Amino acid sequence: MTAPLRLAVWKFASCDGCQLALLESGDLLLELAEAVEIAHFAEASSSMREGPWDLSLVEGSITTAEDIARIRHIRENSRLLVAIGACATAGGIQALRNVADAGAFAAAVYPHPEILDALETSTPVSDHVAVDLELQGCPISSAQLLEVITALLSGRKPQLPVEPVCFECKRAGHPCVLVANGTPCLGPVTTAGCGALCPAVGRGCYGCFGPLPGAVPAVLSQRLAELGLHRAELTALYRSFAAAAPANAEEAARHE
Amino acid sequence: MAFQAHAIIDSPAPLVAALKDAGWKVIAPVERDGALVLAAIQSAEELPRGRVDRASPGEVRIEDGRPGRWFDHTLPASGWKRWLHPPRHLLWRANRGRDGFELKTPPPETEDLAFLGIRPCDLAAIARLDAVLGPDGSADTEYMRRRRHMLSVVVQCARAADTCFCTGPGTGPRAEHGFDLALTELEIGLLVEVGSERGAGILERLPSREARETDIEEAHAISRKTAGMQRRRLPPSAAAAIAQAPDHPEWDQLAARCLACGNCTLVCPTCFCTDVEDTTDLSGDHAERWQVWDSCFATGFSFVHEGPVRTSVRSRYRQWLTHKLATWYDQYGTSGCIGCGRCIAWCPVGIDLTAAAEAIARPASPSPAPTGG
């Protein structure tokens, strides 16, 4: 019998919510623990074993010089590296500092900002090392994470949707909140995977699964402007969980 | 025909009760989260009585209409297809055993569904789906199994929304056949038309009275009035024109406005395309194959041999309109469009299919070389 797959879970600048998506998998987590060797998962176990690892799941964005050294070490010792969540794939909500003065934020919050040693920007893992796969979401979907691990174990390609949230929304039978209520919704330009959670409760999509490749946010913005959104509101809409994803950054800047 | 063809009932309440008593699960439009959606109802109290929809391109609102009127609204947000051709459907399960895989198909769906308040255009949409998903009417498909367990109580439309255009394709506002029962809401009650033996059997259980000739005349007058309310139309030449205009400059105009979000196809009552998804579990001993609604607006929809064929929004919009209005004739002998107007009302940016078809049916002015697609 071949050695079980060695799994490692890493945290950078993040809220831990994506690791929780794994911890929250219930019985499936027990099944996972039998199917793979969980070699490093600080949030779950104090037993942390050295690399090399077959699969590294990386949560969080790169915000310090130390982060850069650490992500390189992880990359060098991992066969596959999967960035999980909006922080790791797009810099997260903390990437708002990329378009502001991070020093001013620190001065406003900390009595002694000089003790901080952080980079000016919050950047995705892929800005620093090669990433084999990105899982979107704030937080990611447990089902998608398990799909990736399951696919890897069975030697097949994971099934991850490349379609807008609207597809999931309509399959679930929710009427369009934009059409029915004029609610601003990023669903048409956002990658599916969440199960249309926000439209399910009558809210517009916040875009936490990141921009859908090839989508056209300018068309949506024009419609939202017709519905009464001001330029500042449009900028704010694109500048949230995946603010630094290029499509969002560009669309937000266009309305500034 | 042996059954009584017309009668008057006072309210749909005994009808819902009779259907439920006879073992039917009653599906009807209800108001939820600011829209009309289809749901299983327990009593007529759940119907959106006194409420009407106001639809225009990209905007639908529900508001108060004439108090007490049961059916002055028009269409629910999506078609009825989800009950016959569900958005996600398990095709089979496979379990690894000692001697390979054992396949198991889920037991067929045999729930008896009564579609209460289905409109003539949506009834026509089911006939279009029959041609696609159960062409010989007896195919042992999941769709046809569900279809055979379906009863229809049509409501003949007393209002047309701004987005309705059924008179062109001739699918409404009055259904003449294909239903079990049809209701027209008159001032004095609901005129019931019987369309099948089964429908006659249901009517027999209801407190009803004889319909007069004038009641039937009033019902037809209502249908004529509703037809007269419609402002949009599909140009009759659209099918031929679209099939012959792959390079029309209007496609560029449409592509510049289209989000490629797929809402039009997903709310369309005749769009039937699906994808197949395979899943395995962590042990690798169990696999499932699911059929899932797909849309020609997804790039992955045309993925063949390591790449999608239709990468531009232009090519995907053209595919949808060309299939819906033109090549559907080649495949099934009819148009794929039944004039419900949902693709207009529920398009987040309000693209109007009838305007698009009209623009393409107009001869293009000489233009530079096509931009490709």
Side-chain angles (χ1 to χ4, degrees):
Chain A
M1 190 179 160
T2 52
L5 181 125
R6 298 194 85 215
L7 175 75
V9 183
W10 307 98
K11 173 186 161 60
F12 287 80
S14 59
C15 76
D16 287 30
C18 291
Q19 298 182 59
L20 280 178
L22 187 54
L23 281 177
E24 280 172 351
S25 307
D27 289 349
L28 284 171
L29 183 64
L30 298 176
E31 271 186 54
L32 180 67
E34 282 181 22
V36 306
E37 176 197 346
I38 300 177
H40 182 111
F41 188 3
E43 186 150 318
S45 167
S46 53
S47 155
M48 291 177 274
R49 295 186 284 282
E50 288 303 306
W53 306 282
D54 293 308
L55 173 62
S56 274
L57 303 174
V58 180
E59 176 197 87
S61 66
I62 307 302
T63 57
T64 66
E66 189 201 355
D67 283 350
I68 297 176
R70 195 156 62 95
I71 193 64
R72 285 182 182 153
H73 173 76
I74 292 168
R75 174 71 271 187
E76 281 160 18
N77 290 283
S78 303
R79 184 159 66 86
L80 291 170
L81 189 156
V82 176
I84 61 169
C87 300
T89 60
I93 196 100
Q94 61 273 26
L96 285 173
R97 78 200 211 195
N98 300 4
V99 288
D101 179 359
F105 289 157
V109 174
Y110 297 98
H112 294 286
E114 67 279 5
I115 64 166
L116 296 180
D117 183 16
L119 301 171
E120 281 297 307
T121 56
S122 168
T123 45
V125 173
S126 61
D127 275 13
H128 304 276
V129 296
V131 169
D132 295 296
L133 183 73
E134 292 188 329
L135 274 188
Q136 306 295 328
C138 182
I140 56 162
S141 124
S142 306
Q144 282 196 354
L145 180 58
L146 285 165
E147 164 64 8
V148 167
I149 297 170
T150 305
L152 185 60
L153 288 172
S154 52
R156 63 173 173 85
K157 197 175 159 186
Q159 295 214 42
L160 300 170
V162 186
E163 60 190 27
V165 170
C166 301
F167 281 34
E168 294 186 303
C169 190
K170 294 299 143 301
R171 284 187 201 116
H174 309 311
C176 176
V177 296
L178 218 163
V179 172
N181 296 301
T183 305
C185 180
L186 289 178
V189 297
T190 299
T191 306
C194 62
L197 285 175
C198 292
V201 293
R203 302 294 299 262
C205 166
Y206 295 93
C208 74
F209 269 62
L212 174 71
V216 207
V219 175
L220 180 64
S221 301
Q222 192 185 330
R223 177 64 180 150
L224 297 178
E226 286 166 15
L227 289 172
L229 256 67
H230 301 299
R231 296 173 71 91
E233 291 171 309
L234 283 170
T235 299
L237 192 63
Y238 292 101
R239 237 172 229 165
S240 63
F241 303 96
N248 280 349
E250 199 178 298
E251 189 59 18
R254 227 166 54 81
H255 301 283
E256 225 171 5
Chain B
M1 281 188 278
F3 42 79
Q4 182 193 358
H6 292 94
I8 299 283
I9 59 174
D10 287 330
S11 130
L15 173 58
V16 174
L19 287 168
K20 282 185 61 64
D21 283 349
W24 297 92
K25 179 173 178 175
V26 181
I27 313 297
V30 299
E31 186 176 346
R32 194 173 288 167
D33 301 326
L36 297 176
V37 298
L38 295 171
I41 61 165
Q42 304 307 316
S43 84
E45 292 300 304
E46 293 172 68
L47 294 170
R49 192 178 190 186
R51 301 285 279 168
V52 294
D53 50 331
R54 186 168 49 78
S56 57
E59 190 175 292
V60 179
R61 294 290 183 276
I62 310 298
E63 54 193 34
D64 280 333
R66 273 179 62 198
R69 294 280 294 178
W70 290 97
F71 298 112
D72 271 356
H73 53 273
T74 66
L75 293 171
S78 66
W80 298 70
K81 67 183 177 186
R82 72 170 43 248
W83 300 96
L84 302 170
H85 180 53
R88 287 184 64 80
H89 169 60
L90 180 63
L91 295 175
W92 48 253
R93 284 195 173 90
N95 298 315
R96 198 201 300 270
R98 232 180 273 165
D99 309 312
F101 278 103
E102 180 201 5
L103 284 182
K104 277 188 181 167
T105 47
E109 188 63 58
T110 53
E111 206 167 31
D112 292 326
L113 298 180
F115 290 177
L116 174 71
I118 183 170
R119 301 299 172 142
C121 61
D122 276 345
L123 189 71
I126 293 175
R128 306 284 156 104
L129 282 182
D130 289 351
V132 177
L133 300 171
D136 61 5
S138 63
D140 191 29
T141 59
E142 178 68 17
Y143 173 85
M144 283 312 296
R145 281 193 291 272
R146 288 171 186 252
R147 184 75 177 78
R148 282 192 284 270
H149 286 269
M150 176 204 129
L151 175 147
S152 59
V153 181
V154 161
V155 167
Q156 314 279 27
C157 295
R159 268 181 71 246
D162 170 68
T163 45
C164 290
F165 58 99
C166 65
T167 51
T171 56
R174 159 167 293 276
E176 300 293 351
H177 51 78
F179 50 78
D180 293 291
L181 293 172
L183 311 176
T184 308
E185 191 165 13
L186 310 177
E187 293 301 325
I188 55 144
L190 297 162
L191 175 74
V192 187
E193 294 164 70
V194 175
S196 72
E197 288 287 353
R198 198 166 55 172
I202 298 285
L203 178 59
E204 270 173 24
R205 300 162 181 235
L206 306 180
S208 70
R209 57 186 189 275
E210 219 171 290
R212 297 162 305 177
E213 207 46 51
T214 50
D215 298 331
I216 297 165
E217 279 165 23
E218 185 187 343
H220 282 275
I222 287 170
S223 294
R224 284 193 298 275
K225 188 195 75 177
T226 306
M229 290 169 80
Q230 297 187 15
R231 298 194 296 110
R232 288 169 211 277
R233 57 185 279 280
L234 265 182
S237 58
I242 288 170
Q244 288 158 23
D247 297 319
H248 198 290
E250 181 64 18
W251 297 119
D252 294 317
Q253 302 298 316
L254 290 162
R257 295 178 57 209
C258 175
L259 286 164
C261 65
N263 270 292
C264 47
T265 62
L266 295 159
V267 299
C268 174
T270 66
C271 271
F272 56 83
C273 286
T274 52
D275 191 13
V276 163
E277 287 180 1
D278 290 339
T279 65
T280 50
D281 71 354
L282 280 165
S283 71
D285 292 336
H286 308 281
E288 289 177 354
R289 172 162 288 186
W290 288 81
Q291 179 177 280
V292 192
W293 281 1
D294 202 355
S295 164
C296 49
F297 281 93
T299 44
F301 183 81
S302 66
F303 191 99
V304 286
H305 192 65
E306 293 301 312
V309 175
R310 300 186 199 105
T311 51
S312 68
V313 175
R314 179 187 191 275
S315 63
R316 281 176 269 153
Y317 190 90
R318 188 179 64 189
Q319 165 65 23
W320 131 258
L321 202 72
T322 305
H323 186 215
K324 185 66 55 183
L325 300 183
T327 50
W328 200 295
Y329 279 101
D330 304 333
Q331 284 178 289
Y332 309 112
T334 60
S335 170
C337 176
I338 45 84
C340 70
R342 284 191 182 88
C343 61
I344 305 172
W346 292 95
C347 170
V349 293
I351 294 178
D352 181 348
L353 167 135
T354 61
E358 189 160 344
I360 290 160
R362 267 198 311 267
S365 50
S367 65
T371 53

